[in-house]
């Protein structure tokens, strides 16, 4: 099994599926949906097999594959996965079939083509797998840019109001960030031995002049901060998340944004350790500002999908302080947060999408008392909201706790300020749930047949796996943290930081 080309096949499989589904005639929409779902389930099965084959405590990078590509540049199709990449690949594999099933009726009306839409979802899965599996810096850059294309067409062609504005803004922001990274990639190639191989660059980059390394670091960091998005590079996300179809928004916010935080962990920290330490104070400040600022904006939102998008910006602030605290505990919490946020926000976006489809409106003010007509769906919305605000017993609580306690050991002030975001999270989530599903029933809802329909069997099949995973990882995260820990420890070693030791209390009450 060690010789099996897991990552190469896993990357190409959804691309082939995208071509097959996209070529199906428009009149055979049901066939396109079924093939897309089956294809995504095949990717999930292969990912589970790869998870089982991964050796915890083995080599840092496993499933290594390398094929010639551009010999004159020393660029190769090189794939490899450490524990951080592996959990993100599993997240993609889990969410994609759920999103396809959740989007089953999203393009049933109008001039939109179902085969094209579901083909684009599989194409997006291909690019997401490629960007996390790449172990060649130039290959990573190519996937980083190419992944914009399917999401651009999904938002621009299948989104809601202001979809073209949101699609162009999303594309331009990410493209500009990619240009910053391209400049750093070229500089890294020129100064790092004229190769794009990550393993080689991790060694040769240490000899780069520190001042030059800081500029190269910033080129990567700006691209990743836009993609994440971190404050103040976040303004594209509420527009894109608000305009995208709910299922696609779940992938956009649940997975694609993690490319930014993954890129910081995979490339910025190991390749530029001194620059990472030098920039850490500024990154921590930006992360804390993002937590409070985005949470305050979320409280005032009347658009459900924009509200969820702002909550994600706040959550990325927690991931940011977990990364730049430079402790194993906070780093593990940050990576686990990436997974758990994908599950919780994916569920929240999907359930919000179910309500939006019934009411044909994104506005909170157009609801009110909806739980009286859809009690089960309202309960799922409440659970998704509570998971998003990291209620104990749900998976995000574990990751948020690890981030805060790991940060507090080295940066007490940042950890304390960040906890204010937890209070604000309770405010915006509970206020959204209360205004949408509780209180006096809006008479207009009773006149809409779709609003009188509670959760369907298909919708139960969509939300059940996410609820199960959020509860399972909330009470027993060990299978995931065991995979993440060695990779995070190796990354912290690359940065050159050590975890703080326990504080001993002396007899006179002092500490040392």
């Amino acid at each position: 099994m060690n010789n099996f080309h897991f990552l190469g096949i896993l990357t190409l499989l959804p691309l082939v599926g995208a071509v097959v589904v996209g070529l199906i005639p428009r009149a055979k929409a049901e066939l396109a949906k079924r093939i897309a779902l089956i294809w995504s389930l095949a990717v999930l099965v292969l990912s589970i097999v790869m998870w089982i084959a991964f050796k915890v405590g083995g080599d840092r990078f496993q499933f290594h594959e390398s094929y010639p590509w551009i010999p004159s540049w020393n660029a190769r199709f090189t794939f490899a996965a450490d524990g951080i990449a592996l959990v993100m690949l599993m997240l993609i594999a889990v969410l994609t079939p759920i999103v396809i099933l959740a989007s089953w009726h999203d393009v049933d009306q109008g001039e939109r083509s179902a085969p094209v839409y579901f083909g684009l979802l599989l194409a997006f899965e291909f690019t997401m797998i490629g960007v996390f599996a790449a172990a060649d810096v130039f290959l990573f850059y190519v996937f980083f840019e190419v992944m914009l294309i399917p999401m651009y067409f999904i938002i621009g062609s299948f989104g809601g109001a202001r979809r073209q504005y949101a699609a162009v803004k999303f594309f331009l922001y990410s493209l500009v960030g990619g240009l910053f990274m391209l400049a750093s990639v070229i500089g890294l190639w020129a100064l790092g031995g004229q190769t794009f191989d990550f393993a080689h660059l991790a060694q040769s980059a240490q000899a780069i002049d520190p001042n030059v390394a800081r500029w190269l670091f910033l080129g990567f960091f700006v691209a990743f901060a836009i993609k994440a998005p971190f404050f103040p590079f976040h303004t594209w996300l509420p527009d894109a998340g608000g305009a995208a179809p709910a299922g696609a928004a779940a992938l956009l916010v649940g997975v694609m944004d993690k490319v930014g935080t993954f890129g910081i962990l995979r490339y910025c920290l190991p390749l530029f350790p001194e620059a990472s330490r030098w920039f850490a104070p500024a990154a921590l400040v930006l992360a804390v500002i993002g937590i409070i600022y985005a949470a305050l904006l979320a409280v005032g939102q009347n658009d459900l999908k924009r509200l969820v998008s702002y909550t994600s910006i706040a959550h990325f602030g927690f991931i940011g302080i977990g990364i730049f605290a430079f402790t194993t505990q906070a780093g593990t919490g940050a990576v686990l947060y990436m997974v758990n946020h994908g599950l919780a926000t994916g569920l929240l976006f999907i359930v919000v999408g179910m309500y939006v489809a019934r009411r044909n409106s994104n506005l909170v003010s157009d609801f009110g008392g909806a739980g009286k007509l859809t009690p089960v769906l309202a309960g799922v919305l409440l659970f998704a909201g509570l998971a998003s605000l990291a209620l104990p017993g749900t998976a995000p609580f574990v990751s948020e706790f690890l981030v805060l306690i790991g940060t507090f050991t080295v940066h007490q002030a940042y950890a304390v300020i960040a906890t204010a975001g937890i209070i604000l999270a309770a405010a915006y989530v509970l206020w959204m749930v209360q205004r949408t599903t509780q209180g006096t029933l809006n008479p207009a809802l009773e006149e809409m047949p779709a609003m009188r329909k509670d959760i369907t069997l298909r919708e139960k099949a969509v939300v059940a796996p996410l609820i199960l995973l959020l509860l399972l990882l909330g009470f027993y995260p060990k299978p995931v943290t065991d995979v993440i820990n060695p990779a995070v420890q190796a990354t912290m070693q690359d940065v050159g930081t050590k975890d703080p030791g326990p504080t001993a209390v002396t007899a006179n009450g002092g500490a040392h």
Side-chain angles (χ1 to χ4, degrees):
M1 186 169 287
N2 291 333
N3 296 324
F4 189 78
H5 301 293
F6 277 108
L7 292 175
I9 295 173
L10 189 68
T11 304
L12 288 176
L13 192 58
L15 175 62
V16 175
V19 174
V20 171
V21 172
L23 292 176
I24 293 174
R26 187 183 203 169
K28 298 183 178 180
E30 287 299 315
L31 177 63
K33 296 174 188 178
R34 290 170 184 166
I35 292 177
L37 179 60
I38 293 171
W39 217 286
S40 65
L41 289 172
V43 174
L44 174 59
V45 170
L46 181 59
S47 300
I48 293 172
V49 174
M50 187 172 70
W51 179 278
I52 295 171
F54 186 84
K55 296 179 180 177
V56 176
D59 293 339
R60 177 180 180 181
F61 292 98
Q62 301 180 33
F63 313 120
H64 186 274
E65 304 173 35
S66 188
Y67 311 99
W69 184 19
I70 310 176
S72 59
W73 295 355
N74 284 331
R76 298 177 64 86
F77 286 106
T78 303
F79 301 101
D82 62 356
I84 300 171
L86 183 64
V87 296
M88 296 310 301
L89 292 171
M90 278 301 305
L91 178 63
I92 296 166
V94 168
L95 278 182
T96 302
I98 290 174
V99 165
I100 289 174
L101 193 58
S103 306
W104 207 257
H105 298 302
D106 282 1
V107 289
D108 282 351
Q109 300 175 352
E111 300 295 323
R112 301 173 180 181
S113 169
V116 171
Y117 178 73
F118 289 95
L120 286 171
L121 286 178
L122 288 175
F124 189 53
E125 182 181 29
F126 153 69
T127 60
M128 289 189 296
I129 291 174
V131 80
F132 287 110
D136 178 279
V137 177
F138 186 70
L139 180 63
F140 171 84
Y141 169 76
V142 170
F143 275 116
F144 184 89
E145 294 291 65
V146 170
M147 72 189 308
L148 303 178
I149 298 174
M151 184 53 68
Y152 169 80
F153 284 109
I154 288 172
I155 297 173
S157 300
F158 299 92
R162 292 168 56 86
R163 60 181 179 271
Q164 293 182 353
Y165 167 80
V168 171
K169 187 174 183 180
F170 155 76
F171 192 87
L172 290 179
Y173 263 67
S174 296
L175 184 63
V176 169
L179 293 176
F180 279 98
M181 184 168 69
L182 178 61
S184 289
V185 167
I186 295 172
L188 192 61
W189 178 84
L191 298 172
Q194 297 188 357
T195 180
F196 292 109
D197 181 71
F198 172 77
H200 180 84
L201 288 173
Q203 298 295 326
S204 60
Q206 310 304 316
I208 297 176
D209 179 83
N211 291 322
V212 175
R214 290 176 183 179
W215 286 106
L216 296 178
F217 168 91
L218 283 174
F220 278 96
F221 180 80
V222 168
F224 296 145
I226 291 173
K227 185 76 78 178
F230 288 137
F231 174 88
F233 308 102
H234 64 282
T235 58
W236 64 268
L237 181 59
D239 292 308
L251 288 177
L252 172 70
V253 179
V255 181
M256 179 179 165
D257 290 355
K258 308 304 189 307
V259 174
T261 49
F262 171 82
I264 294 172
L265 284 163
R266 168 60 67 83
Y267 295 100
C268 287
L269 270 57
L271 295 179
F272 313 108
E274 189 277 336
S276 299
R277 296 191 300 270
W278 173 77
F279 192 74
L284 287 167
V285 169
L286 292 178
V288 170
I289 292 174
I291 292 172
I292 306 302
Y293 175 75
L296 289 172
L297 288 178
V299 171
Q301 293 301 308
N302 189 40
D303 186 303
L304 282 166
K305 291 163 74 176
R306 287 179 67 88
L307 188 154
V308 178
S309 298
Y310 275 115
T311 68
S312 295
I313 297 170
H315 293 148
F316 273 97
F318 282 101
I319 298 173
I321 64 172
I323 292 173
F324 284 99
F326 296 143
T327 67
T328 302
Q329 200 169 39
T332 297
V335 177
L336 187 61
Y337 210 130
M338 290 159 61
V339 176
N340 294 339
H341 173 266
L343 297 173
T345 302
L347 177 62
L348 190 55
F349 253 120
I350 287 170
V351 179
V352 163
M354 292 174 183
Y355 267 118
V356 168
R358 284 166 166 78
R359 182 66 175 90
N360 197 28
S361 172
N362 294 349
L363 300 181
V364 175
S365 55
D366 286 340
F367 288 87
K372 293 179 173 61
L373 301 176
T374 56
V376 177
L377 188 58
V380 177
L381 178 65
L382 176 61
F383 175 84
L386 293 176
S388 181
L389 65 82
L391 182 76
T394 62
F397 171 76
V398 180
S399 43
E400 198 166 279
F401 180 78
L402 286 173
V403 165
L404 289 174
I405 198 171
T407 303
F408 188 81
T409 57
V410 289
H411 299 293
Q412 290 88 348
Y414 293 121
V416 170
I417 296 171
T419 56
I422 302 175
I423 300 170
L424 292 171
Y428 60 65
V429 167
L430 295 178
W431 193 28
M432 175 203 57
V433 172
Q434 191 276 331
R435 291 187 297 163
T436 304
T437 64
Q438 306 301 311
T440 304
L441 177 64
N442 184 346
L445 301 183
E446 292 185 290
E447 300 173 4
M448 305 184 71
M451 279 303 306
R452 294 198 297 268
K453 185 185 298 182
D454 204 352
I455 190 167
T456 65
L457 180 62
R458 175 184 61 85
E459 290 169 339
K460 290 177 182 177
V462 168
V463 302
L466 294 175
I467 293 173
L468 181 63
L469 285 171
L470 286 167
L471 290 173
L472 179 63
L473 295 179
F475 285 96
Y476 190 64
K478 188 175 184 296
V480 179
T481 56
D482 283 350
V483 171
I484 295 170
N485 260 320
V488 171
Q489 290 172 355
T491 303
M492 294 303 110
Q493 290 175 1
D494 291 338
V495 179
T497 59
K498 295 181 179 180
D499 291 334
T503 301
V505 179
T506 61
N508 60 6
H512 65 275

